[in-house]
Amino acid sequence: MKSVAAGVAASHPATARTGVRILQAGGSAADAAVAAVLACCVAETVYTGLGGGGFATYFEASSGKVTCLDFFVAVPGLDGDRKPEAMVAVDVFFGGLPQIYSIGGASVAVPGVPAGLGEVHRRWGRLPWREVVAPAAGLARTGVLLPAAHARTLESCAPALAYGEGAALYQPGGRLLQGDELLFHPGLATAMDALASDGPEVFYTGEYGEVLVDTVRAAGGTIGPADLAEYRVHETPVDHATMAGHRVHARHDLNRTVDTIGALPDDLSRPRRAPGVASALLNRGRQRLGDTTNVSVVDAEGNACVITTTLGLGAGVWLPGLGINLNSMLGEGELLTDDLAPGRRMYSYMCPLVVIAPDGGLAVAAGSAGASRIRTALVDTLLGVLVDGLSVPEAIARPRFHVVEDTVHAEAGCPPAELAALADAGWQIVEWPEINHYFGGVTAVGRAGAAGDPRRGGVGLLL
């Protein structure tokens, strides 16, 4: 049985190196993934942070069991003692068009990242918690270089990220940070040190929980002590679908990625599959910018841990003296539904997954950024690896297409024969002039290698 080499794939070199460092120290896939996500909260703050939420999928090699944990943000209001004030509208340019987003205190939902990472470590970690947090605390003391791909995201999201206190961090002197310039968050090392010594509870029932409540309420939000005290990480049902004899395991996300894989055509040869794949991937409604990031880790025993996290755009509400931006998920209109009562989890497109080979071993551990394009990016990557015989780096880097209503948006370099097959089937075709971060940001470790998405400045490192 061919096995997956131990390795880490992430959307920042510092994040990936942190995961590898923990694996080399004898850590499990869970230890390395938690350490890497904490590094994301320092190095990838245009996408994520301790004030956000996420999901984790864990594969236990010895038993073959797959577990999904939900630590996404929750709707505040359990305290019931105040109503939200108006949110702050900002124009963010996406695909060359302005889109209105809402940030500010009223957009902040109850964060889940600290609790979620603590639970992943509690269940599957083997190194001491302090040792897992230490690399991120070190990065927070020095700051990290901003990759060029992240700088391009910052340019799109500047109205939200460089709002209020964020202006001094992301736009010092009135000029946005550029690629390979230092991103530094004063106070974040203090927060990481407290997380290491006091555990995740410091952000819920501890000192920083009080700071969070006071800060959000002063900015017009509603989070209260009960919201934080009642927050729990949930174990969520795992579903699966089959692709090329492999079983893909994941949670049911807002785009229903597992169901999409199950609905793919029987004939997956190129270019004949293109119209059937497009039909399965059909998306409806306006496409929104997705600030998300993913870490995929496999350890030497073949265990895998995939964690996807997000801040939304970030609320522009910073915990004073701690360098932490809070999430803006209540300002993400497409995630708001009528059943979101106080205490309920919000919905998400995020879908960390694992693929089990016919021999029962791990074949791929993967996840993606990109809001509604997460499903597109993951499905195309899996088709590349499992059907087309590509390496993981080749599958992630190749051009892909995304479907909205009756239109196929195709990256530069999509095979002409596939575009012709799509046009013949009645789809409108919009050809993009480049490979673009709109089309997601996959990170994956598999039997065919490891890679982060070049659209997001990603890297894959094998031990």
Side-chain angles (χ1 to χ4, degrees):
M1 178 175 80
K2 181 179 171 67
S3 61
V4 178
V8 181
S11 293
H12 193 294
T15 302
R17 287 195 299 267
T18 295
V20 167
R21 172 179 165 184
I22 293 296
L23 288 178
Q24 291 172 333
S28 67
D31 289 320
V34 168
V37 173
L38 288 170
C40 289
C41 295
V42 179
E44 303 180 38
T45 60
V46 296
Y47 300 124
T48 194
L50 289 171
F55 298 88
T57 297
Y58 188 83
F59 171 72
E60 186 177 58
S62 60
S63 66
K65 182 180 181 182
V66 179
T67 305
C68 290
L69 297 183
D70 175 345
F71 54 94
F72 200 46
V73 299
V75 179
L78 291 175
D79 295 82
D81 59 346
R82 64 179 55 210
K83 293 184 178 180
E85 298 176 14
M87 297 187 194
V88 178
V90 293
D91 282 337
V92 173
F93 281 82
F94 182 44
L97 299 173
Q99 294 188 10
I100 297 176
Y101 283 77
S102 297
I103 62 172
S107 74
V108 181
V110 182
V113 166
L117 298 183
E119 181 65 10
V120 171
H121 178 264
R122 186 189 71 80
R123 290 187 180 218
W124 301 294
R126 55 180 177 237
L127 295 181
W129 174 251
R130 282 178 173 271
E131 192 171 332
V132 172
V133 181
L139 290 174
R141 277 183 249 288
T142 60
V144 293
L145 296 181
L146 186 73
H150 294 211
R152 288 191 290 272
T153 300
L154 173 59
E155 187 174 353
S156 297
C157 302
L161 286 171
Y163 174 85
E165 292 179 46
L169 305 172
Y170 295 109
Q171 199 170 11
R175 174 182 165 274
L176 284 175
L177 288 180
Q178 304 295 304
D180 290 331
E181 292 185 339
L182 187 69
L183 173 65
F184 177 70
H185 294 283
L188 187 51
T190 300
M192 288 292 179
D193 287 342
L195 179 64
S197 61
D198 299 345
E201 305 79 38
V202 72
F203 288 100
Y204 296 92
T205 55
E207 176 187 358
Y208 294 166
E210 295 180 26
V211 173
L212 194 155
V213 168
D214 292 344
T215 302
V216 170
R217 291 189 165 200
T222 62
I223 291 179
D227 292 313
L228 295 178
E230 294 299 318
Y231 185 88
R232 297 291 184 274
V233 177
H234 295 159
E235 187 169 321
T236 191
V238 183
D239 204 356
H240 72 271
T242 301
M243 178 187 288
H246 295 67
R247 288 162 63 95
V248 182
H249 295 259
R251 64 178 284 266
H252 269 301
D253 62 287
L254 193 58
N255 251 342
R256 304 191 76 83
T257 300
V258 172
D259 291 344
T260 299
I261 291 170
L264 292 174
D266 293 332
D267 183 359
L268 290 176
S269 60
R270 304 182 81 178
R272 286 194 297 273
R273 74 183 183 213
V277 170
S279 295
L281 288 174
L282 176 62
N283 249 284
R284 299 195 182 278
R286 185 170 60 166
Q287 304 297 287
R288 305 273 282 183
L289 185 60
D291 271 1
T292 310
T293 194
N294 187 83
V295 169
S296 301
V297 180
V298 177
D299 63 25
E301 287 77 43
N303 305 303
C305 190
V306 186
I307 302 180
T308 315
T309 60
T310 187
L311 276 179
L313 286 182
V317 177
W318 294 76
L319 297 187
L322 299 175
I324 296 172
N325 190 9
L326 298 176
N327 71 83
S328 60
M329 302 314 298
L330 290 170
E332 302 280 335
E334 71 272 25
L335 302 183
L336 302 180
T337 56
D338 293 337
D339 60 346
L340 288 180
R344 289 287 299 274
R345 284 295 199 276
M346 294 188 67
Y347 296 95
S348 172
Y349 296 107
M350 294 187 284
C351 190
L353 58 83
V354 293
V355 181
I356 310 305
D359 59 25
L362 180 71
V364 183
S368 183
S372 60
R373 278 84 57 203
I374 288 173
R375 175 180 62 161
T376 293
L378 288 173
V379 169
D380 187 72
T381 298
L382 295 183
L383 285 170
V385 173
L386 304 180
V387 178
D388 301 335
L390 301 179
S391 68
V392 170
E394 290 169 338
I396 291 176
R398 73 173 178 180
R400 40 192 185 241
F401 65 76
H402 177 69
V403 184
V404 185
E405 303 289 356
D406 63 349
T407 301
V408 171
H409 293 262
E411 284 187 294
C414 277
E418 284 199 350
L419 298 182
L422 289 164
D424 289 345
W427 296 94
Q428 302 296 313
I429 309 294
V430 173
E431 296 188 59
W432 288 52
E434 60 187 1
I435 301 292
N436 192 282
H437 75 134
Y438 167 83
F439 291 87
V442 178
T443 70
V445 181
R447 295 182 178 183
D453 205 312
R455 297 164 183 81
R456 306 270 174 144
V459 296
L461 302 174
L462 295 175
L463 269 65

